[in-house]
Amino acid sequence: MTIIDGKKTSDEIKAEIAATVAEMVAEGRKRPHLAAILVGHDGGSETYVANKVKACEQCGFKSTLIRYEDSVTEQELLQAIDSLNADPDVDGFIVQLPLPRHISEQRIIEAIDYRKDVDGFHPVNVGRMMIGLPCFLPATPSGILELLKRYDIPTKGAECVVLGRSNIVGKPVAALMMQKHLPGDATVTVCHSSSRNIKETTLRADIIIAALGSPGFVTADMVKPGAVIIDVGTTRVPDSSRKSGFRLRGDVDFDTVAPICSAITPVPGGVGPMTICSLMKNTLLAARHDIYPA
Ligand code: GUN
């Protein structure tokens, strides 16, 4: 059984990006610049954004963090987005989700210039992804594909079961896994909260991608021996033995599933670090105008 090491893989990729950035700077070009808007003080979002800023430093990028309180209005956020869209020094930016309920996430996402949408959430990027055109791929699905590629996991014709249908992970990863390129070219089934006989479906899977946010949902009796397990879950569960008072738990019951599968991503240290690394890749692509010409 292989533990798929997302931390090590992401460190390797960040080193590759840093080397490219060093070359760009040596040629007299500016460093890639990622900006992030963070609203409020949600613990998970604070950690994600802090990790994104840290990854920028590791890659040699400039980063800017713009903070607002939960009381920010949609209009104020839209104005901040307009400024970032117009700022020639900013190559790409993200608005960390979720947002407070009084703000429409969709309106915010659609206000971002798709050429700076390094999260790959704008409908232009989503649509281009669906038909296989160059675009900013969403970070978590892209990180998952990179792990499958770097660990030589066969996907052509494989039965792939995706658990969860979110816009950020489930839907895009299902689309990418079914597309006619590698990694991909799989037979994909998506299960969600209204699906019947989930266990019957997962037992057929060569690859399970669990992204439903339900800690320990995938148990050993749901897994075909030798399957590959990708765990996207990162739920904070109380843990009094930790200084923080919590630990991260995946959607897979790691201790019972790991012994029967052929490869598995741990939580933490699996998909999480790869997600941030994919955002760095997109920022580099944006800075070099590799997807959309300047
Ligand atoms: N919230 C959870 N995942 C993400 C992500 O990939 N990007 C943004 N902007 N917010 C998120």
Side-chain angles (χ1 to χ4, degrees):
M1 188 269 300
T2 304
I3 305 260
I4 298 176
D5 190 339
K7 170 80 175 67
K8 177 169 153 277
T9 310
S10 75
D11 284 344
E12 287 165 8
I13 296 171
K14 282 185 284 190
E16 291 164 17
I17 295 174
T20 307
V21 171
E23 277 172 30
M24 287 169 67
V25 172
E27 288 165 7
R29 297 171 64 180
K30 79 173 192 69
R31 292 181 183 280
H33 181 185
L34 174 71
I37 296 181
L38 174 60
V39 179
H41 299 275
D42 172 74
S45 293
E46 292 265 7
T47 306
Y48 289 136
V49 171
N51 287 336
K52 289 170 186 179
V53 169
K54 187 172 148 215
C56 282
E57 282 164 26
Q58 294 169 329
C59 292
F61 294 178
K62 178 176 171 186
S63 66
T64 302
L65 174 57
I66 301 160
R67 303 195 66 128
Y68 289 95
E69 291 302 321
D70 273 318
S71 55
V72 68
T73 65
E74 190 173 287
Q75 203 52 40
E76 283 171 298
L77 269 192
L78 290 170
Q79 273 161 12
I81 289 169
D82 278 348
S83 303
L84 293 171
N85 283 342
D87 184 343
D89 193 57
V90 172
D91 298 298
F93 65 97
I94 64 157
V95 180
Q96 186 65 28
L97 305 178
L99 293 171
R101 288 203 3 221
H102 65 277
I103 293 170
S104 157
E105 287 189 352
Q106 202 51 38
R107 215 169 285 146
I108 293 299
I109 288 169
E110 290 189 43
I112 297 171
D113 184 333
Y114 67 89
R115 294 166 297 186
K116 293 191 177 189
D117 168 40
V118 284
D119 257 333
F121 292 168
H122 189 283
V124 169
N125 283 310
V126 177
R128 290 176 65 93
M129 176 194 70
M130 287 303 293
I131 55 176
L133 292 176
C135 63
F136 293 117
L137 292 177
T140 303
S142 164
I144 292 170
L145 263 66
E146 191 66 40
L147 282 178
L148 296 174
K149 186 160 93 186
R150 293 202 179 217
Y151 277 81
D152 288 324
I153 295 183
T155 57
K156 187 181 172 73
E159 291 278 350
C160 174
V161 173
V162 176
L163 302 175
R165 56 176 159 184
S166 70
N167 288 344
I168 293 182
V169 187
K171 277 184 213 162
V173 84
L176 291 171
M177 287 299 286
M178 83 167 86
Q179 280 185 6
K180 199 165 181 174
H181 58 65
L182 295 175
D185 217 4
T187 303
V188 179
T189 308
V190 180
C191 295
H192 47 75
S193 49
S194 296
S195 297
R196 282 176 278 144
N197 308 324
I198 292 184
K199 178 176 165 180
E200 226 169 74
T201 309
T202 56
L203 274 171
R204 288 202 309 268
D206 302 306
I207 302 169
I208 297 176
I209 301 174
L212 27 66
S214 175
F217 181 89
V218 178
T219 46
D221 58 313
M222 298 168 70
V223 175
K224 180 170 77 171
V228 172
I229 311 293
I230 305 294
D231 189 350
V232 186
T234 47
T235 307
R236 289 180 166 196
V237 296
D239 183 342
S240 55
S241 72
R242 302 283 175 99
K243 208 167 79 188
S244 62
F246 69 86
R247 68 188 162 89
L248 291 184
R249 179 131 199 259
D251 288 346
V252 177
D253 187 35
F254 186 90
D255 291 346
T256 61
V257 171
I260 61 165
C261 62
S262 64
I264 185 166
T265 61
V267 175
V271 173
M274 291 302 293
T275 296
I276 292 178
C277 181
S278 300
L279 177 66
M280 300 299 118
K281 266 203 304 203
N282 280 349
T283 304
L284 179 62
L285 291 171
R288 291 157 53 113
H289 302 287
D290 282 344
I291 293 177
Y292 302 113

